[in-house]
Amino acid sequence: MRYLVTGAAGFIGSHLAEALLAAGHEVLGVDSFTDYYDPAVKERNASGLDVSRLDLARDELDFTGWDGVFHLAGQPGVRSFGDLFPLYVERNVLAGQRVFETAAEAGVRVVFASSSSVYGEAEQYPTPEETPPRPLSPYGITKLACEHLARASARSFGLDAVVLRYFNAYGPRQRPDMAFPRIVDALVEGRPFTLYGDGEQSRSFTYVGDVVAASILAMERAGAGATYNVGGGQEATMNETIELLESISGRRLDVLREEAVAGDQRRTKADTTRIRDDLGWEPSTSLEQGLKAQWEWASVESPP
Ligand SMILES: NC(=O)c1ccc[n+]([C@@H]2O[C@H](COP(=O)([O-])OP(=O)(O)OC[C@H]3O[C@@H](n4cnc5c(N)ncnc54)[C@H](O)[C@@H]3O)[C@@H](O)[C@H]2O)c1
């Protein structure tokens, strides 16, 4: 098949593009190499991939002739109040609307990377997809807006869209602004690590290989209009993950504590019954296995 992967120079998109190529598909990446984090990191992620430099919010788009679009490009990160907000509107909402309408015109399926951030402080844990979304961060609000735009394009223009709500993806090449790479780098370099909040905030951490597998299954098998949680099976607190990384690395982490970040959720825990029943997907990488892979990648393959 011929697939477009937007955000292919990013963390998850680069893994997804590689997996699709390895499965024998034709893949074209699309990315504008934003400077949200060092674009040189994105250049490394994209090496070995065919990535077209396009800004989805501004440049002309045409998806004719493709079999599907994995729409992962966007502006991530919950620190999204204030001056940064226009970037979230442009790179998530505006880019999303253009991708959805272009895909509808071409009759091409879109698998959209939404987020557990749409749930905010959820009414229920584990959180099933039908839980009313109440995002706490502007980031989560823009992701929810994209979900609504996808549904509106489905109703008005026949868009075939599948929404995946990823829960904290991690693994080799994880975005440097996220906690695990900052912990791993601090351990490698013997520097202190700044922990925001009391460390008891917990997440359904999801290994990137499992996120990729769910995304491909969704493209191949999901019904049009479906929404799925993509979440790891093991909920862990930040304090627990720090202990685990200390034990994997055999080193002690010097932790500096700071106030929690505005918009950060206290807890995420995915209910993945729906995607297991419909698509047969289950997370297959334990947190310990995934963190070992991340530690090895950061400390051996990519020493800072
Ligand atoms: N990493 C996670 O834990 C997580 C969790 C939930 C949802 N998501 C979503 O999954 C997607 C991928 O996340 P990631 O962690 O790999 O992020 P990432 O920042 O590494 O990748 C996103 C890529 O999109 C590109 N991009 C941004 N705006 C663009 C535009 N207008 N046109 C073209 N390219 C553009 C960026 O340059 C970047 O390379 C994002 O949409 C994110 O919101 C990620």
Side-chain angles (χ1 to χ4, degrees), residues 205-280:
F205 293 106
T206 319
Y207 190 65
V208 64
D210 287 328
V211 175
V212 163
S215 306
I216 296 173
L217 276 174
M219 178 62 82
E220 291 175 348
R221 296 200 207 152
T227 298
Y228 294 113
N229 287 338
V230 177
Q234 232 174 313
E235 182 185 9
T237 66
M238 281 309 302
N239 290 329
E240 287 165 344
T241 57
I242 288 173
E243 270 178 38
L244 204 46
L245 276 164
E246 284 182 329
S247 127
I248 289 168
S249 64
R251 301 176 190 195
R252 291 285 302 168
L253 186 67
D254 178 12
V255 180
L256 307 175
R257 292 180 187 269
E258 295 251 347
E259 292 269 296
V261 172
D264 210 9
Q265 288 153 277
R266 186 73 182 155
R267 184 176 183 200
T268 68
K269 185 167 175 56
D271 180 334
T272 51
T273 311
R274 185 187 288 179
I275 190 167
R276 188 195 61 211
D277 290 354
D278 288 3
L279 306 183

Side-chain angles (χ1 to χ4, degrees), residues 12-303:
I12 306 172
S14 61
H15 283 281
L16 173 61
E18 285 172 5
L20 290 166
L21 282 172
H25 300 295
E26 187 184 331
V27 179
L28 178 64
V30 173
D31 206 295
S32 61
F33 295 76
T34 69
D35 63 0
Y36 172 61
Y37 58 88
D38 186 357
V41 173
K42 298 183 181 182
E43 297 287 351
R44 280 201 296 278
N45 292 344
S47 62
L49 299 171
D50 186 5
V51 180
S52 166
R53 279 162 206 265
L54 273 186
D55 183 340
L56 295 163
R58 290 161 191 251
D59 293 326
E60 200 176 316
L61 306 178
D62 182 0
F63 300 155
T64 314
W66 293 91
D67 294 309
V69 178
F70 292 89
H71 179 43
L72 274 66
Q75 176 60 41
V78 295
R79 285 181 183 78
S80 43
F81 286 101
D83 291 349
L84 290 175
F85 186 59
L87 284 183
Y88 285 80
V89 174
E90 176 166 332
R91 295 175 183 168
N92 294 341
V93 182
L94 182 57
Q97 175 259 337
R98 297 187 83 233
V99 165
F100 298 141
E101 291 190 16
T102 308
E105 245 170 61
V108 173
R109 162 166 283 201
V110 177
V111 169
F112 168 59
S114 186
S115 167
S116 57
S117 296
V118 302
Y119 291 121
E121 300 297 7
E123 271 172 17
Q124 202 181 331
Y125 296 99
T127 308
E129 290 83 350
E130 56 274 16
T131 304
R134 292 186 307 204
L136 297 175
S137 63
Y139 164 68
I141 291 167
T142 60
K143 282 291 179 183
L144 184 58
C146 288
E147 291 193 10
H148 286 303
L149 282 166
R151 290 183 196 112
S153 293
R155 190 183 158 91
S156 295
F157 309 117
L159 174 70
D160 174 349
V162 180
V163 169
L164 299 181
R165 293 175 177 160
Y166 297 160
F167 283 64
N168 283 74
Y170 74 98
R173 296 187 212 146
Q174 191 182 8
R175 291 199 331 265
D177 59 307
M178 297 182 83
F180 292 175
R182 294 191 302 107
I183 296 172
V184 166
D185 285 356
L187 285 167
V188 169
E189 293 169 17
R191 281 190 289 103
F193 163 74
T194 305
L195 174 65
Y196 297 97
D198 62 5
E200 287 306 299
Q201 63 272 42
S202 67
R203 297 285 181 268
S204 273
F205 293 106
T206 319
Y207 190 65
V208 64
D210 287 328
V211 175
V212 163
S215 306
I216 296 173
L217 276 174
M219 178 62 82
E220 291 175 348
R221 296 200 207 152
T227 298
Y228 294 113
N229 287 338
V230 177
Q234 232 174 313
E235 182 185 9
T237 66
M238 281 309 302
N239 290 329
E240 287 165 344
T241 57
I242 288 173
E243 270 178 38
L244 204 46
L245 276 164
E246 284 182 329
S247 127
I248 289 168
S249 64
R251 301 176 190 195
R252 291 285 302 168
L253 186 67
D254 178 12
V255 180
L256 307 175
R257 292 180 187 269
E258 295 251 347
E259 292 269 296
V261 172
D264 210 9
Q265 288 153 277
R266 186 73 182 155
R267 184 176 183 200
T268 68
K269 185 167 175 56
D271 180 334
T272 51
T273 311
R274 185 187 288 179
I275 190 167
R276 188 195 61 211
D277 290 354
D278 288 3
L279 306 183
W281 178 87
E282 281 188 291
S284 65
T285 311
S286 71
L287 188 57
E288 187 165 4
Q289 289 169 327
L291 285 178
K292 273 189 182 147
Q294 184 153 357
W295 169 256
E296 271 159 34
W297 173 77
S299 59
V300 181
E301 288 182 36
S302 171

